[in-house]
Amino acid sequence: QEDLEALIAEFQSLDAKKTQVIESSCPPPSPRLNCSLCAHPERDELILFGGEYFNGQKTYLYNDLYIYSIRKNSWSKLEIPNPPPRRCAHQAAVVPTAGGQLWIFGGEFASPNGEQFYHYKDLWVLHLATKTWEQIKAPGGPSGRSGHRMVACKRQLIIFGGFHESARDYIYYNDVYAFSLDSFTWSKLAPAGIGPAPRSGCQMTPSPEGNIIIYGGYSKQRVKKDVDKGTLHTDMFLLKAEGAGKEEDKWTWTRLNPSGVKPTPRSGFSVAAAPNNRSLLFGGVHDEEEEESIEGDFFNDIYFYDLGKNRWFPAQLKGPKSKRKRRRGREAEAEAPGGEDRKQPPPQGPLEIVKELLAEDGTVMTIKQVIPGAAEDKDRSESEEEEEEGALGQPVEPCPRSNAMVAVKHGVLFVYGGMFEVGDRQVTLSDLHCIDLHRMEEWKVLLEMDPKTQEWLEESESESDEEDDDVEGAEGGEEEEEESSEEESEDEGG
């Protein structure tokens, strides 16, 4: 722990040499995981901070700050003096106060050998209007952790869950803390009722009324010496504030039993607020855990949760609208290209698509993608059903992945990066896709990435190879400052 603190201090002294704000246009960020992506509350921009990258031998940690311009589809790097130390698996939330603020809490830093983790319990705010970082030192906050969740709700930041890992043991949390954005004080909440079991990587969504919804997550228990059993949670809870969003509110947990079609069990999913009082869940992975190995099914589907109706449903892409007016009945069927095939009703069951990629080193990567069956949606009007004619040909969409970064701005969902695994090989993505959530017609590719170009170093490679490749693998960080660990952190049960 002392070694890690010394390392972090060393990095901070390097950061302290930066005395002025420098904003420069730059290529897109290098591949990274467990960073944060937030929509700027005032401008058409996304803000990306921190994260980690694992190349098979080392994990690099970052504390750089990138701004993505939605209108220009371009990136710039923002260097601001005295930033938070490098970290991944932290949480970030934006509020519109004073031209916009980005709040960051917790996360982790890994040791060079990957056997130790330092978990942060610090709270930072980035003042977007003045481009200044400020550390907020207030007593009584949560213990150090990563994989927790944080949302801004009624002038408070609410934090739930997460985990802490040491060389000897680990612990998962289900505690709830509130930080007041008015008095800058922490309070630990003691909700009545039975709440969720301890977990990390869950969905946490604030409602317009100031309540909080928790769904899913991951935790593990020690079954016997050196054997852990992972649990994918699929339960759902409401944390309700009895009061007007004041600090002395009484809070209560109640269990929710949503209707509709719930997401299939998974971890490493991503969550964002969607239009029409909904939240959405994207992607993730379902691990089949054996004694020795883990085999994962990765997803790229979207599920919506309607907060008002307490109901889940899978998103259905409508495909781009046809220019000509469609006629109903047999006439239209006869005109449709491939009319014979078109008469068949669409398959109701899940559809599985298997793609194979050949990497440069000869590894064959198989990406399995499961598209959920069309679920019956009784709430849709006839006109909506009429619009829902699928696009011809193979639609463009993000490949299946877990731990993607997502943000919504003006009703458009942006999905950046994430990862998938092929055997022992972990592919970290840095592509960017978006989809209009009002129309749900098609995905657009804003930045492509070919996973086959990703370097992957086997542990057996010699030291000299390792040194040569480090520089290549750590774009986006000053090479001499990069520190390493051999294992990827386990945020979101990944």
Side-chain angles (χ1 to χ4, degrees):
Q1 208 62 345
E2 285 160 21
D3 298 347
L4 289 192
E5 286 177 30
L7 259 182
I8 292 164
E10 193 182 317
F11 279 141
Q12 280 187 284
S13 68
L14 286 169
D15 284 329
K17 290 177 187 164
K18 296 171 184 167
T19 53
Q20 59 191 39
V21 175
I22 302 168
E23 186 163 0
S24 52
S25 49
C26 64
S30 57
R32 62 194 58 205
L33 267 186
N34 298 327
C35 50
S36 53
L37 184 70
C38 298
H40 192 302
E42 303 286 322
R43 301 164 68 161
D44 287 345
E45 294 175 346
L46 305 180
I47 306 160
L48 187 149
F49 173 77
E52 62 176 329
Y53 172 65
F54 180 56
N55 69 1
Q57 286 176 348
K58 286 191 165 190
T59 297
Y60 300 93
L61 286 153
Y62 305 105
N63 65 345
D64 37 21
L65 184 68
Y66 288 94
I67 306 290
Y68 173 74
S69 164
I70 293 171
R71 290 189 177 166
K72 296 178 186 163
N73 185 21
S74 65
W75 291 89
S76 56
K77 193 170 184 178
L78 195 50
E79 293 183 60
I80 298 176
N82 299 307
R86 292 156 187 252
R87 68 191 62 206
C88 64
H90 53 282
Q91 281 286 281
V94 287
V95 292
T97 313
Q101 295 175 337
L102 172 78
W103 288 83
I104 283 174
F105 175 80
E108 68 183 51
F109 181 89
S111 68
N113 62 6
E115 286 171 18
Q116 293 170 281
F117 297 98
Y118 179 85
H119 294 267
Y120 294 105
K121 57 176 181 179
D122 51 353
L123 180 67
W124 293 77
V125 58
L126 172 62
H127 301 281
L128 294 164
T130 57
K131 297 187 169 69
T132 48
W133 279 112
E134 182 188 356
Q135 185 174 1
I136 306 297
K137 295 184 173 168
S143 56
R145 63 190 61 196
S146 56
H148 50 292
R149 290 294 174 259
M150 176 171 83
V151 293
C153 184
K154 297 266 182 180
R155 300 292 303 151
Q156 297 187 101
L157 299 175
I158 309 283
I159 289 176
F160 168 79
F163 71 94
H164 183 283
E165 191 172 10
S166 67
R168 289 176 301 282
D169 209 3
Y170 54 81
I171 178 171
Y172 282 80
Y173 300 107
N174 63 349
D175 47 4
V176 191
Y177 284 82
F179 178 78
S180 163
L181 294 169
D182 295 317
S183 65
F184 278 29
T185 52
W186 283 108
S187 51
K188 184 173 183 180
L189 306 185
I194 296 172
R199 64 194 61 195
S200 74
C202 60
Q203 171 176 14
M204 187 176 187
T205 307
S207 76
E209 305 78 53
N211 302 323
I212 307 263
I213 284 155
I214 301 283
Y215 165 76
Y218 175 88
S219 63
K220 60 182 186 184
Q221 291 81 30
R222 188 138 292 164
V223 201
K224 50 182 191 244
K225 193 179 182 325
D226 297 334
V227 178
D228 298 325
K229 182 179 180 294
T231 301
L232 285 180
H233 300 279
T234 57
D235 46 3
M236 199 160 186
F237 293 84
L238 176 70
L239 179 59
K240 197 168 166 44
E242 309 292 340
K246 298 282 186 292
E247 289 169 53
E248 61 278 4
D249 279 349
K250 296 273 179 286
W251 294 82
T252 311
W253 283 116
T254 47
R255 191 164 179 146
L256 291 176
N257 289 308
S259 62
V261 180
K262 273 169 71 167
T264 54
R266 61 188 70 193
S267 65
F269 53 74
S270 310
V271 175
N276 306 325
N277 196 21
R278 294 168 174 174
S279 72
L280 71 80
L281 181 152
F282 168 81
V285 60
H286 183 263
D287 290 327
E288 299 293 339
E289 293 190 30
E290 302 297 327
E291 281 280 321
E292 291 300 313
S293 67
I294 293 184
E295 196 59 43
D297 268 346
F298 289 80
F299 303 100
N300 64 350
D301 48 358
I302 294 177
Y303 280 84
F304 286 107
Y305 173 71
D306 187 315
L307 279 76
K309 295 176 180 163
N310 183 26
R311 180 172 160 278
W312 281 103
F313 58 98
Q316 301 288 340
L317 255 63
K318 295 170 182 164
K321 281 198 194 133
S322 146
K323 290 279 187 286
R324 64 190 177 78
K325 202 174 162 194
R326 280 197 294 280
R327 288 201 285 280
R328 293 186 152 188
R330 295 186 179 282
E331 244 183 300
E333 248 172 35
E335 276 185 24
E340 290 308 303
D341 300 337
R342 296 290 289 279
K343 291 178 196 171
Q344 302 301 323
Q348 291 301 306
L351 178 65
E352 201 171 275
I353 297 174
V354 177
K355 298 176 189 167
E356 288 199 344
L357 297 171
L358 184 65
E360 284 176 341
D361 61 2
T363 313
V364 176
M365 302 189 230
T366 306
I367 305 173
K368 190 157 76 170
Q369 173 182 341
V370 181
I371 298 172
E376 216 177 325
D377 195 339
K378 295 196 177 69
D379 291 359
R380 291 185 312 177
S381 64
E382 236 179 74
S383 63
E384 272 184 295
E385 302 218 346
E386 217 180 307
E387 281 174 16
E388 195 176 276
E389 179 172 73
L392 299 170
Q394 186 63 36
V396 173
E397 55 190 356
C399 74
R401 62 193 66 198
S402 74
N403 298 49
M405 278 49 70
V406 297
V408 171
K409 183 75 186 178
H410 299 317
V412 176
L413 168 70
F414 293 85
V415 173
Y416 168 80
M419 60 88 81
F420 63 87
E421 287 164 343
V422 185
D424 293 337
R425 182 186 177 124
Q426 176 181 306
V427 180
T428 304
L429 300 163
S430 59
D431 51 354
L432 184 64
H433 290 73
C434 74
I435 187 168
D436 185 324
L437 297 172
H438 291 290
R439 297 198 176 120
M440 286 308 290
E441 285 176 11
E442 58 183 335
W443 283 99
K444 292 197 171 86
V445 185
L446 300 171
L447 176 65
E448 284 191 273
M449 177 197 171
D450 182 355
K452 290 179 283 191
T453 60
Q454 177 119 68
E455 63 158 11
W456 184 255
L457 308 182
E458 296 302 333
E459 291 196 43
S460 58
E461 288 188 25
S462 70
E463 287 296 310
S464 61
D465 287 355
E466 199 177 311
E467 281 164 26
D468 293 345
D469 284 326
D470 282 351
V471 176
E472 205 182 314
E475 300 164 52
E478 290 71 22
E479 279 78 36
E480 69 274 16
E481 294 172 31
E482 297 301 342
E483 280 307 325
S484 62
S485 88
E486 296 213 336
E487 285 173 10
E488 187 236 334
S489 79
E490 181 251 49
D491 177 35
E492 316 211 286

